[in-house]
Amino acid sequence: MTDNRLIVLAPQDSVVVVRCGISEGETLIIGDVEVILGVAVSMGHKLALRAVETGDAILKYGVPIGSATSDISVGEHVHLHNMKSDYTPTYALEGAQTEFEK
Amino acid sequence: MTMEGYLRQDGRKGIRNLVAVAYLVECAHHVAREIALPNREHAHVIGFPGCFPNEYAQSMMERLCTHPNVGAVMIVSLGCESFNRFKLEQFVRDSGRQVETLVIQKTGGTRSAIARGQAFVERAVEALSEEKTVPMVVADLVIGTVCGGSDGTSGISGNPAAGRAFDRLVSEGATCIFEETGELIGCEDIMAARAATPELAEELRASVEKAAQYYATLGFGSFAAGNADGGLSTIEEKSMGAYAKSGSSMISGLIKPGDIPPTGGLYLMDVVPDGPVRFGFPNISDNAEIVEMMASGAHMTLFVTGRGSVVGSALAPVIKVAANPEMYGRLREDMDVNAGQIIEGTATLDQIGTEIYELIVAVAGGTQTKSEDLGHREFILTYKSFEPIGPACLPV
C-alpha cells in the first residue's frame, strides 16, 4: 500500500510521482517500506519505488525513461543528480538563481 | 450546441472570419502592426522576418493567408525583400479572398502605408461581418495539440485528458494533429504499432529517428530548464508524457507543416527539417509549432501546460489546459481547463476529456478562449527546409 500523496503509474515502474509538495523529514509508505524523505520534493517529481543499481533502466509509465547514474534506494528523489537520458543530455538552470541573486 | 462556419472556396469552413495582415520581412513589421492596431480583434498580424528567400516560408505564408479562419488579406512588403509577394498575392486571390499588397517603398513611407492599410482593413472587416455562415459539424474541424512548459504532472493529467478528447473527435470524423517528433523520442515503437499500415509505421519511426539525430547534432534535446524544475529528468520521460496527447486512435498519416490532411483521422506532423542541420533548432518556441499546425488547417490548438504558458495565437484560438493544480491556482485567468483536478483526485481523465471536447465545440461556435479574450496574438515563423512526404505517409 503506497502513500496517497504518491502516484504509481505502472506496477513495474522504478519510480512513483509526487502528487503534492512533501517536506523533508516526512515519513512515507512506499510499497510496504516506510521511508523518511531526505529532501523536500515538489509536485510532479519522482521518488524511487524500488532500489535501483547504477546503469539500470529507470521505468516510468512502464517504459524506460533513462538510466541510473548511481545506486538509488527506495524513497530517494530520482532526478538529474542520479539518472540520465539514453538519448540527449538534459540542460537545466540548476543553481543559476542562487548564483546570480544578491 | 450548433456550430456555424464561414464556407471557403476550397470547401473548408472557418470558425472565425479574420483579416490577416501579413508582413514579408521584419522591416515591414511595424507598419503591419500599426495597420492592424485599430481593428486588432479582427485583424491579426502574421509574417516572416527574413530577407533571404525560403521555400518553406513561402508555402507557409500561402497556407496561412488562406487558412479557413481568414477571410481577407493585407500583404505588407517593404519592397526590396526576397519574398515573392506576387506569388503570394496570386495564391490568395485564387482562393477567392479579397487581397491587397502594400509596398512601403512605393506608397510614400510609413505614414501613408499605415493609412492605406488601415483603410483596407476597415473595409474588409466590415465586409466580412456581413458574410453569411453555414452549418458546421465536428467532422469539419481540424484540431491540433501541443504541450509547452511541461512538468511531471503534464503526462499524467492534461496530456492524457487531451488524448481522450482526441479519441472522441477522431471517432466523430474530425481531423486531429499531434506533433513535435523531437518530443516523441523513446516512443517510436509504441507509436509505430498504431499506424494504419506497416509502411506508415516505418515512416513514423523514421521521423523520430531523424529528430533524435537532429537534436543530437545541436547538442540539446527539446527540453527546457523549466521542464527539469517541474520534475522531468530526461527527454524520453518528457516524450512519454507528450505522446499521451495523441490518445489511442489509429494513426492515419504523417504530414509535414503545410500539408492538409486529406480526410478525418489522427495525423502526426513531422516538424523536424530534412537534410543536414542548417537553420538551427526545429522549433525555437511553442508558437512555431502552433503556426505549423495552422498551416495544415488547424482551426484551433489544444495547449497543455504544467509550468504555465500564457500564449495564444494569431488566426486560430488556443485552448489552454492546466496540468497542475498549483499552477492553475496562480494562473487561472489564463487557463481554460483545470486538468490539475486529476492530480488532486477530484476529477477523472474521462471527465476532463469530456470538458475539453465540449469546450472545443463551444469555441468552434464562437466562444472566446482565455488567451483570445486577453488579446494574445503570438506568431513566429523562421527558416526551415523540407522534402515532400512520400506516398507511404498518407495510405488512406
Side-chain angles (χ1 to χ4, degrees):
Chain A
M1 205 202 74
T2 293
D3 203 293
N4 64 11
R5 290 172 290 181
L6 308 173
I7 305 171
V8 181
L9 293 171
Q12 68 270 42
D13 281 359
S14 15
V15 293
V16 293
V17 179
V18 176
R19 197 191 281 273
C20 53
I22 309 176
S23 316
E24 179 186 343
E26 285 205 39
T27 304
L28 293 168
I29 311 287
I30 299 182
D32 45 14
V33 186
E34 194 178 287
V35 295
I36 295 172
L37 194 59
V39 289
V41 286
S42 44
M43 176 186 288
H45 283 246
K46 301 176 289 299
L47 300 176
L49 173 61
R50 50 178 54 93
V52 177
E53 287 179 16
T54 308
D56 283 356
I58 306 281
L59 300 181
K60 183 186 173 187
Y61 305 103
V63 299
I65 58 159
S67 46
T69 53
S70 62
D71 293 349
I72 303 171
S73 51
V74 176
E76 216 179 299
H77 185 207
V78 180
H79 202 24
L80 310 178
H81 60 286
N82 54 13
M83 72 170 293
K84 65 170 182 61
S85 169
D86 295 326
Y87 289 83
T88 46
T90 299
Y91 169 78
L93 269 175
E94 220 165 66
Q97 196 170 357
T98 41
E99 191 181 334
F100 291 101
E101 249 175 12
K102 294 224 172 98
Chain B
M1 185 128 189
T2 57
M3 286 187 278
E4 299 277 317
Y6 301 92
L7 182 63
R8 308 302 179 196
Q9 199 175 277
D10 60 8
R12 294 189 290 169
K13 296 167 189 168
I15 62 166
R16 300 287 185 270
N17 206 13
L18 304 164
V19 181
V21 181
Y23 64 90
L24 305 186
V25 62
E26 183 58 23
C27 320
H29 194 166
H30 170 72
V31 168
R33 210 162 22 215
E34 291 293 315
I35 288 171
L37 194 60
N39 278 291
R40 63 182 184 160
E41 295 240 322
H42 305 287
H44 293 184
V45 178
I46 64 173
F48 180 64
C51 191
F52 299 91
N54 183 242
E55 233 174 87
Y56 158 83
Q58 181 84 32
S59 76
M60 290 289 287
M61 288 299 286
E62 290 172 0
R63 289 296 189 201
L64 292 161
C65 287
T66 55
H67 184 280
N69 292 352
V70 173
V73 181
M74 168 93 267
I75 296 170
V76 189
S77 158
L78 175 63
C80 48
E81 73 275 6
S82 302
F83 198 103
N84 189 338
R85 63 178 186 266
F86 309 102
K87 184 163 177 273
L88 177 63
E89 187 184 301
Q90 190 61 47
F91 193 87
V92 177
R93 180 158 290 121
D94 290 346
S95 79
R97 287 168 175 82
Q98 196 191 346
V99 57
E100 196 174 301
T101 302
L102 263 179
V103 180
I104 298 170
Q105 289 166 348
K106 290 184 183 167
T107 52
T110 302
R111 205 179 299 274
S112 58
I114 292 170
R116 279 183 55 180
Q118 286 181 346
F120 171 87
V121 169
E122 195 66 43
R123 288 193 306 274
V125 167
E126 189 164 337
L128 293 178
S129 72
E130 284 160 14
E131 275 183 12
K132 295 272 182 293
T133 56
V134 296
M136 204 171 164
V137 292
V138 168
D140 291 323
L141 289 174
V142 181
I143 310 292
T145 181
V146 296
C147 48
S150 295
D151 69 8
T153 64
S154 306
I156 44 186
S157 59
N159 288 340
R164 301 286 164 102
F166 258 28
D167 288 344
R168 181 158 170 199
L169 290 164
V170 168
S171 75
E172 293 179 19
T175 304
C176 293
I177 308 171
F178 70 112
E179 51 79 66
E180 188 41 313
T181 43
E183 294 172 5
L184 293 168
I185 290 169
C187 308
E188 308 86 283
D189 295 333
I190 47 173
M191 181 167 70
R194 290 167 58 197
T197 63
E199 294 75 22
L200 175 61
E202 277 317 300
E203 295 282 355
L204 295 176
R205 208 187 293 274
S207 73
V208 179
E209 273 161 25
K210 178 180 71 172
Q213 279 176 19
Y214 207 93
Y215 279 103
T217 305
L218 293 165
F220 291 99
S222 181
F223 194 104
N227 297 144
D229 293 338
L232 295 174
S233 307
T234 64
I235 184 61
E236 46 278 45
E237 180 181 14
K238 181 177 172 180
S239 294
M240 273 307 296
Y243 173 69
K245 296 195 302 296
S246 68
S248 57
S249 309
M250 181 183 79
I251 299 172
S252 297
L254 180 140
I255 56 172
K256 291 181 181 176
D259 294 335
I260 311 286
T263 170
L266 178 66
Y267 295 82
L268 171 66
M269 179 178 282
D270 176 7
V271 301
V272 174
D274 294 309
V277 177
R278 282 204 286 182
F279 302 120
F281 290 95
N283 279 329
I284 62 171
S285 56
D286 295 324
N287 278 96
E289 304 174 10
I290 294 174
V291 165
E292 290 183 330
M293 281 190 297
M294 291 195 302
S296 286
H299 291 96
M300 70 181 96
T301 305
L302 290 179
F303 190 130
V304 180
T305 178
R307 304 296 290 168
S309 172
V310 300
V311 304
S313 177
L315 305 188
V318 173
I319 292 178
K320 225 81 95 321
V321 179
N324 166 333
E326 292 174 0
M327 181 276 286
Y328 181 79
R330 289 194 301 276
L331 299 182
R332 62 171 65 225
E333 286 187 349
D334 288 280
M335 298 296 143
D336 296 285
V337 176
N338 178 14
Q341 293 173 85
I342 296 163
I343 305 291
E344 293 175 315
T346 53
T348 64
L349 277 176
D350 281 331
Q351 283 169 334
I352 300 296
T354 302
E355 187 182 330
I356 294 170
Y357 170 89
E358 285 168 356
L359 185 58
I360 287 169
V361 173
V363 169
T367 301
Q368 296 267 301
T369 67
K370 294 283 178 70
S371 50
E372 216 177 354
D373 191 47
L374 287 163
H376 281 280
R377 302 287 184 260
E378 286 86 347
F379 183 91
I380 187 163
L381 180 62
T382 55
Y383 285 93
K384 278 192 176 184
S385 54
F386 284 99
E387 298 294 330
I389 55 170
C393 293
L394 293 174
V396 187

